[in-house]
Amino acid sequence: MGTLARLGLAAVWLVSGAVKISDTGQTFIAVKAYDVLPSGLVEPVATAMPLLELLLGVLLLIGVGTRWVAGASGLLLLVLIAAIVQSWARGLTIDCGCFGGGGQISADQTQYPQEIARDTGFFLLALWLMIRPRTLFSLDGWLGKGSAGKGSVGNESGNSAAPADDYSDEKAASL
C-alpha cells in the first residue's frame, strides 16, 4: 500500500508540474483566476508552483525524505483545496488549473465538488505516507532510515511508541 501511495502521489505531482511548466502562460492565467494574490505575486507563484510540484514528484519517486515530502505535499494540497473552496464560495467560475488549463469558464463547466474530492484523495495518500513513510524501492528504505532491528521501531529517534514503518506491501495485503 505504501509503495503505491508514494508512487501514485509522485505521478500526480510529476504530471501536474510537467503540464504547468510546459505552458507557463496558461499557468499564469490559472493562478490569476483565483483572484486571491496581489498582482505582484501571481507571476512568482505561477513560476514556482510547477517547479515545486516537480521537486515533490521526483523526491517521492526516489523515496527520499518521504515523511517530510509527504508533509509538504499534504500542506500544498490543503492550500489548493482551500483555494478551490474559496473560489466556489465566492461564486467564481474557474477551472482549477490543477492539471493544466485553468482560468475563467462558464458556470455550467465548473467541477468544484469533483476537484475537492480528487485533491482530498491525494491528501489522504500524503497523510498515509506521513504516518508510514517506509516503502519498498525507496532510497529511504535502502538507507535503512528508521529500520527495525537498529534500536528503532518507527523513527530514527528510537521511540518505540511510534508506529512501525510500512517497509513491505505484504503487511497491507495481510490486513
Side-chain angles (χ1 to χ4, degrees), residues 62-155:
I62 62 176
V64 65
T66 303
R67 179 172 281 142
W68 290 100
V69 176
S73 294
L75 183 61
L76 180 56
L77 286 160
L78 289 175
V79 168
L80 295 173
I81 291 167
I84 295 167
V85 168
Q86 71 81 30
S87 296
W88 190 12
R90 291 173 51 210
L92 300 178
T93 56
I94 64 171
D95 177 329
C96 75
C98 298
F99 291 93
Q104 298 296 323
I105 57 175
S106 66
D108 63 331
Q109 291 178 308
T110 60
Q111 298 183 347
Y112 296 124
Q114 298 92 322
E115 292 165 349
I116 292 166
R118 178 200 60 219
D119 287 355
T120 299
F122 296 153
F123 174 79
L124 292 174
L125 293 177
L127 183 62
W128 177 270
L129 290 169
M130 284 187 276
I131 296 167
R132 302 184 68 97
R134 294 271 321 279
T135 60
L136 290 174
F137 313 115
S138 70
L139 190 56
D140 285 346
W142 291 332
L143 294 174
K145 296 285 187 188
S147 63
K150 293 186 180 178
S152 169
V153 173
N155 60 25

